Amino acid sequence: MLVSRAQQVRDSVEHSDPVYGLRIGVEIAHPIVHLLKDSGYSMEVLADYPVGKKAFVEMHLGSERAYRPTTRFDFTAQGKYLLLGYRRNLFDNFKGQHHEVYMGLYYGIAAFHDVLHRYTIGNESDYFGSVTYEPGRKYASLQAHWLSYRTGVRAEVLPRFFLELGVGLSKLIYRTSLDNFEHFYIPGFGKVYPGYWGVNYYYTLSYSLPLKFSRK
Amino acid sequence: MKYRLLIIVLIAVFAVRCERNDICEEGVDASLLKLGFFDASQPDSTMRVSSLYVWAAMKDSLYVDAETDSIALPLDPGANHVRFFVSDSLHVDTLDVFYDKSPYFVSEACGFIHEYKIQNQTQVTAHWIQAMQITDSTITHENIHIHLYH
């Protein structure tokens, strides 16, 4: 059997990229953590759409209330947030596969308020002991903007059903200044670390809607 | 090459998570009232007390048989007035300190401290201490706040 040189070099398996369209899902890591710690709630829905053969644009909308106790003070941060992002798939899918190993960049905005429940001045072991204030002070109309780099894996575990596990590194680029307080947790961003960095892990379930799109 | 970027990000994630920010350094709480002992006949020179006792009502002693020309006393964060007893071991004088306080946020680890301001009603009896002067009413300043002349 004679085969040309060109034909011998080709793979016998075809490579292909997603032909799925709009996909919607929910984030479940944060809601579960809040449930387990009884520290509030989190609801986040997401949607993404393919751009070309190896990329997606993505949007998240969320609402979170987080109660954060520390040794010296307790507060609650509550509000809504929006994320817009673009991610690229590094994984070479075989025909019919729709898995992802992705890297993406996101821009996040949150509108929220803080309530400072109580704080303690001094220690019990001091000469005069300590005193605890319970001001219930509300810091309203707060805003935060951030950039987030996320990477992870999104696998099609059942036809059209995807499971994603990812980590993200975020940096706060704007936050409303507070009078005599600081930002330590922002809905959507998470815990604020020194230098206004954030680190998160994500666990999402999504479903690719069986809508017919004509091939372009 | 793209996986190298991933490694860098994972290292950055660990770096952020591992940075300790939960320790409050000593000395952040500069909330001690500093008093200096001076010579009544020569008001600019300090004059040591050879056997000093200081305590607050119904509390342990802060100074016992101390030889010093300056002392640092804590203020009660839960009140606006503290009464100290100051003795040269022969006589006892009563020092009533009145102050305003306002909470001030320092950091995540330290939380809040008070900024104290000494009020003019602060006074001392005159058994062995002859005079008193408030030289700096802001307690967060590091210098002597009250001069006591004996």
Side-chain angles (χ1 to χ4, degrees), chain A:
Chain A
M1 192 169 65
L2 289 171
V3 230
S4 72
R5 266 272 117 108
Q7 281 177 312
Q8 279 179 322
V9 169
R10 262 181 45 193
D11 252 329
S12 58
V13 182
E14 276 180 52
H15 289 251
S16 166
D17 286 297
V19 298
Y20 284 171
L22 183 66
R23 175 166 42 187
I24 57 170
V26 287
E27 207 276 320
I28 58 178
H30 293 86
I32 287 176
V33 169
H34 274 306
L35 215 63
L36 293 174
K37 292 187 349 182
D38 194 20
S39 57
Y41 69 82
S42 169
M43 290 180 305
E44 183 179 314
V45 294
L46 47 113
D48 71 322
Y49 194 81
V51 171
K53 296 198 168 183
K54 298 282 266 178
F56 299 84
V57 286
E58 190 173 342
M59 182 173 94
H60 296 229
L61 264 177
S63 173
E64 181 177 11
R65 182 178 77 222
Y67 169 67
R68 309 284 300 179
T70 78
T71 46
R72 309 298 300 169
F73 56 93
D74 298 345
F75 72 97
T76 294
Q78 177 175 7
K80 310 188 218 329
Y81 56 94
L82 165 75
L83 267 102
L84 293 169
Y86 173 85
R87 64 173 198 275
R88 286 192 68 85
N89 185 7
L90 310 173
F91 187 70
D92 266 331
N93 281 300
F94 291 129
K95 186 181 172 84
Q97 275 188 334
H98 306 94
H99 304 309
E100 277 178 68
V101 172
Y102 67 84
M103 292 195 324
L105 203 60
Y106 297 74
Y107 190 87
I109 303 174
F112 62 105
H113 67 264
D114 284 348
V115 178
L116 177 61
H117 302 297
R118 68 108 203 153
Y119 56 92
T120 299
I121 294 185
N123 298 301
E124 270 180 50
S125 56
D126 290 347
Y127 191 69
F128 289 110
S130 63
V131 70
T132 296
Y133 290 92
E134 297 193 346
R137 177 169 179 186
K138 181 169 178 175
Y139 295 86
S141 307
L142 304 178
Q143 248 193 62
H145 294 232
W146 67 92
L147 288 173
S148 188
Y149 170 81
R150 300 187 180 195
T151 181
V153 168
R154 198 169 207 163
E156 188 176 17
V157 291
L158 289 170
R160 292 188 170 273
F161 281 93
F162 294 82
L163 194 68
E164 172 195 354
L165 196 60
V167 294
L169 183 67
S170 312
K171 175 83 169 164
L172 217 48
I173 57 177
Y174 170 78
R175 65 229 158 257
T176 313
S177 337
L178 298 175
D179 170 37
N180 210 21
F181 198 47
E182 277 280 352
H183 292 286
F184 296 108
Y185 192 94
I186 294 173
F189 181 89
K191 180 169 153 77
V192 182
Y193 286 88
Y196 300 106
W197 291 98
V199 169
N200 274 292
Y201 55 89
Y202 314 97
Y203 197 61
T204 79
L205 297 172
S206 44
Y207 173 70
S208 191
L209 302 177
L211 304 169
K212 280 257 174 214
F213 290 97
S214 54
R215 278 279 221 162
K216 295 204 166 83

Side-chain angles (χ1 to χ4, degrees), chain B residues 59-146:
Chain B
K59 294 196 77 71
D60 293 341
S61 300
L62 289 161
Y63 290 87
V64 173
D65 198 12
E67 188 184 337
T68 180
D69 65 359
S70 75
I71 53 175
L73 305 178
L75 296 174
D76 188 347
N80 287 308
H81 160 247
V82 185
R83 167 165 288 181
F84 291 104
F85 296 99
V86 187
S87 165
D88 65 350
S89 83
L90 300 168
H91 310 283
V92 181
D93 271 320
T94 306
L95 171 67
D96 282 298
V97 185
F98 293 88
Y99 49 94
D100 270 347
K101 54 186 195 278
S102 75
Y104 176 74
F105 185 76
V106 174
S107 67
E108 181 175 8
C110 304
F112 289 79
I113 61 167
H114 271 137
E115 279 186 334
Y116 295 108
K117 264 198 137 47
I118 304 299
Q119 301 295 292
N120 289 327
Q121 306 130 279
T122 300
Q123 59 188 13
V124 67
T125 55
H127 296 110
W128 65 278
I129 295 173
Q130 296 182 29
M132 179 205 89
Q133 192 184 16
I134 301 171
T135 47
D136 191 347
S137 57
T138 305
I139 296 304
T140 42
H141 296 165
E142 282 295 307
N143 44 22
I144 299 283
H145 307 108
I146 293 181

Side-chain angles (χ1 to χ4, degrees), chain B residues 28-63:
Chain B
V28 160
D29 190 4
S31 300
L32 294 174
L33 170 66
K34 294 180 193 59
L35 299 101
F37 292 96
F38 293 82
D39 191 335
S41 51
Q42 280 175 271
D44 287 329
S45 2
T46 60
M47 187 157 110
R48 255 186 276 156
V49 180
S50 41
S51 180
L52 181 70
Y53 294 78
V54 183
W55 68 99
M58 295 184 289
K59 294 196 77 71
D60 293 341
S61 300
L62 289 161
Y63 290 87

